[in-house]
Every structure is written in C-alpha cells, then in structure tokens.
Amino acid sequence: MKYLDEYRDQRIARLLADEIARRITRDWVLMEICGGQTHTIMRYGLDELLPPAVQLVHGPGCPVCVTPLETVDMAIAIASQPDVTFVSYGDMLRVPGSRSDLFRVKAAGGDIRIVYSPAEAVKIARASPGRRVVFFAIGFETTAPANAMAAWQAKREGLKNFSMLVSHVLVPPAIRLLLRSPRNRVQGFIAPGHVCTVVGYREYESLAREFHVPIVVGGFEPVDLLEAISMLVAQLETGRAEVENQYARSVSYEGNLPAQRIMEEVYEVCDRKWRGIGPIPGSGLRLRAEFAPFDAEKVFELGETCVEEPAECISAEVLQGLKKPVDCPAFGRRCTPDNPLGAPMVSAEGACAAYYQYRRHAMPS
Ligand code: SF4
C-alpha cells in the first residue's frame, strides 16, 4: 500500500538504525511528543533497535491523558443530568475522574453516546430537540478544526439544545514549559505530524532558536520515526538547532489554512491546566464570546473546582519525560488497562497503555 508499506520496510528501518549508530558519538535524550508516535515506538520496538546512546522519552501528546481531572468531573456532572445526552469519543469514557467515570454514569442509566466525529453530535442534537446534547470536545490542534466546525454549524442552524465542553490544548506552549524546567533533560524533539498538518511548523522555529534545540516534524510509521531520529542526531552531532520536516508528505510550512481560519473564528487562546502537569499559560483554546450559548461550561454553570490526582500516579513525571511508565510502582500491578489509576493507562495513545500492551516483559519484578 503506497505510503504505508514503504514506511514499515524492515530493511530501510535497519539501514536508518545503522546510520544513526555510525553517526552518534555521545548520549542524546530525545522526546516524541505524540502518543501515536509512542505507540509506534513500542509496537515495533524502535527503542531496542537504536544504539543505547539514543534515549527516547515520551511527551505529553496524548489528549485524553492531559484533559484535567476537573474537566472529567465536570463531564460526569453534566452527563449525570436526566435531560442530557452526553456525546464523546470512546476513549474518554474510562478516564477516571476524582470519584467516578463516564462509563459508570452510562451503566447507571445516563444517556452517553460514543461518536467518531463531532458532526455526529450535531446530528444527534438536531434529531433530539427535547434533549440537551453536549459534546466533549477535547484534543490538540488536530481535532480542534472539526470540533470548531460543529459549534459553527450549530450556530448557523440556530440549534438551541447543543453545546460543547471544550478542553483543547496546544503543543508549543507545553514544549516551552518542558524546556524551561530546571529538570528538563530533553535535547531534541520529534514534533507531532498530525498537529503540524493543521497548523504547520512556523511556530516551532522560535522554540528552536530560543532554546537552541533541534525539532523535527515526524510521521507515525516506523521508518518515519527512525528518519526523524536520524535527522535529530545529525543536527545534535553538528551543533545545529533547526526545525526540519520529515513528514513532508502530509505537513507543509503553513499548514492547513482553511482549518486554521475556522479555529480562529470559533476559538480564542486561553490558559489551560494540563492533567498531571498543571496550568500552562496560553496553552488552550476556548469558545469565543459569540459562541457562549454553545459553551457547556457557561450553559451548565458548574463553577470551578480543584481536585488532586491520586498520589500513587506518577503521570506528571511520565508526561514530562522525567520517568518511564515502568518506573511507576503501580504499573501493571495496581494500575492496568482494566483498572487504570491514571489517564495514561486508559487512552489508546497513553504511554502507560503502550508499555503495558507491548512491553510487559520490562516490568520490574
Ligand atoms: S502506570 Fe498508572 S499509576 Fe502509574 S503513571 Fe501510569 S497511569 Fe499513573
């Protein structure tokens, strides 16, 4: 299959790994941002193919993992109301809130529907005028345009029974936070290809300049990631710190301009709390004032809450690349996909779930 088979070719993967091994002269710590990339690394054992001098750590790029506990609790409170139909991507249902999760609300009779696109949520609202339909709009820049389109469409149609609980986050402010941390040990980043397909990679240039850190926009197949790592190692070994684009078959410098226009029309940038990490200035998107009737936080007036993560869960350190999932004492014992203590064990893109699925043999005994 074009654009798939060649990017899973073992021979090319081996050649790239050999090239990295030939070029490298010292240890480097690299971070892939996106959870989809983490899963490819684990699934294909790319970290084991690379020379030991390359250490891969995993970033905060799983949207389910970074959705704040308070927002999950808010979703549960809204979904529990008898006149509400709550619509969500499937991953969010098992994410633990502080006391419950959406699956339990559904099991108790709550009207919770799983969809694959926000347009389906609008369709449900259109078909159910007697219900208040709320869509859980989470994710990075990747899902923001389609979710924005749902609010835009609802406004255009004058739907009175549709709103969105918005928890969108932006990647560059999170990278800036990691790089500013005195504990940071990441020396090069694989930027998320899907995010950059939407927004391009212009914004990453200031990060590369300010922190003298190389950034390579990478794809999601094994050869994509090995090529991105090879490009990072080439930069690091020669003292360069530039933004390069490995995923050129999907990503352009400017990104998808119509998608950016709809985001601009519907959202404004806001400060956002990231689960496990805390507040990051300018790292979120919220609905603009013109879309207030479609903003579930305003419609339901639930107010602000502040809740603590379970003390056992070290997801904050996992999401910042300071520790790996197998360093967590609960990994594979108290915390499994069937009984998750933290979001990174739930999500299809979570680092803990990736280690559990592909690397259980690495569990400490
Ligand atoms: S293994 Fe579970 S408890 Fe540990 S960091 Fe991952 S999600 Fe949290």
Side-chain angles (χ1 to χ4, degrees):
M1 193 185 295
K2 191 158 168 56
Y3 293 143
L4 202 52
D5 291 346
E6 62 269 50
Y7 289 95
R8 292 181 182 174
D9 187 310
Q10 282 188 36
R11 193 185 49 86
I12 302 173
R14 170 60 64 191
L15 285 173
L16 282 164
D18 290 347
E19 184 186 313
I20 294 165
R22 262 198 311 278
R23 183 173 277 158
I24 206 157
T25 61
R26 48 159 287 190
D27 292 355
W28 297 110
V29 178
L30 310 179
M31 172 182 275
E32 83 284 353
I33 295 290
C34 178
Q37 293 168 332
T38 308
H39 273 251
T40 299
I41 289 165
M42 290 295 119
R43 179 175 176 193
Y44 292 95
L46 302 187
D47 53 335
E48 293 176 338
L49 191 65
L50 289 165
V54 178
Q55 191 187 155
L56 296 178
V57 293
H58 319 300
C62 154
V64 173
C65 305
V66 298
T67 300
L69 201 48
E70 290 86 348
T71 308
V72 178
D73 282 350
M74 209 181 282
I76 291 167
I78 293 172
S80 302
Q81 301 198 18
D83 63 337
V84 166
T85 296
F86 195 83
V87 185
S88 173
Y89 299 125
D91 270 14
M92 286 310 295
L93 267 63
R94 294 180 56 242
V95 176
S98 55
R99 282 186 297 279
S100 185
D101 59 47
L102 288 167
F103 250 135
R104 284 188 215 173
V105 177
K106 188 171 170 59
D111 184 5
I112 298 182
R113 319 253 182 109
I114 296 172
V115 292
Y116 293 99
S117 91
E120 290 177 65
V122 177
K123 200 169 155 188
I124 292 169
R126 230 181 261 132
S128 330
R131 309 276 305 161
R132 294 200 285 173
V133 176
V134 183
F135 176 62
F136 203 176
I138 69 142
F140 286 89
E141 294 93 325
T142 326
T143 52
N147 292 348
M149 200 66 213
W152 185 89
Q153 182 68 25
K155 185 169 186 251
R156 195 171 82 135
E157 292 182 28
L159 282 178
K160 300 275 184 258
N161 65 331
F162 177 79
S163 61
M164 304 203 310
L165 180 58
V166 176
S167 185
H168 278 300
V169 282
L170 304 170
V171 171
I175 296 184
R176 174 165 274 112
L177 181 101
L178 296 181
L179 286 167
R180 280 195 178 140
S181 165
R183 298 174 74 196
N184 174 55
R185 58 198 190 108
V186 179
Q187 294 154 303
F189 288 89
I190 303 174
H194 290 156
V195 164
C196 294
T197 299
V198 174
V199 293
Y201 54 93
R202 180 198 293 269
E203 207 179 335
Y204 291 80
E205 290 179 333
S206 57
L207 287 169
R209 267 197 309 274
E210 186 180 339
F211 296 96
H212 196 75
V213 63
I215 301 174
V216 173
V217 181
F220 297 84
E221 297 299 332
V223 167
D224 282 323
L225 288 162
L226 288 169
E227 189 176 20
I229 291 164
S230 173
M231 290 162 78
L232 281 174
V233 169
Q235 287 203 47
L236 288 162
E237 289 285 338
T238 53
R240 287 185 295 125
E242 296 163 13
V243 180
E244 294 180 316
N245 181 16
Q246 179 278 329
Y247 201 34
R249 67 187 185 282
S250 177
V251 173
S252 67
Y253 181 68
E254 298 288 352
N256 181 331
L257 296 177
Q260 291 168 32
R261 275 196 290 276
I262 188 76
M263 285 165 68
E264 178 64 27
E265 188 176 337
V266 174
Y267 300 127
E268 61 188 7
V269 172
C270 62
D271 299 343
R272 179 76 71 199
K273 183 174 177 186
W274 294 48
R275 187 169 190 167
I277 295 178
I280 307 181
S283 70
L285 295 174
R286 68 180 171 211
L287 290 169
R288 288 186 179 279
E290 306 89 280
F291 289 85
F294 304 95
D295 187 338
E297 285 194 53
K298 295 194 167 72
V299 171
F300 289 86
E301 291 179 345
L302 290 168
E304 295 216 342
T305 56
C306 185
V307 276
E308 296 295 324
E309 291 288 337
E312 252 181 302
C313 180
I314 63 158
S315 63
E317 288 171 283
V318 173
L319 293 170
Q320 295 176 71
L322 299 170
K323 291 203 169 153
K324 297 208 175 187
V326 286
D327 299 328
C328 175
F331 177 84
R333 296 190 177 89
R334 294 240 319 113
C335 182
T336 65
D338 288 336
N339 183 28
L341 287 182
M345 188 55 97
V346 179
S347 167
E349 294 191 15
C352 300
Y355 272 74
Y356 190 86
Q357 192 173 351
Y358 303 114
R359 206 59 66 81
R360 255 176 289 180
H361 63 268
M363 273 175 59
S365 52

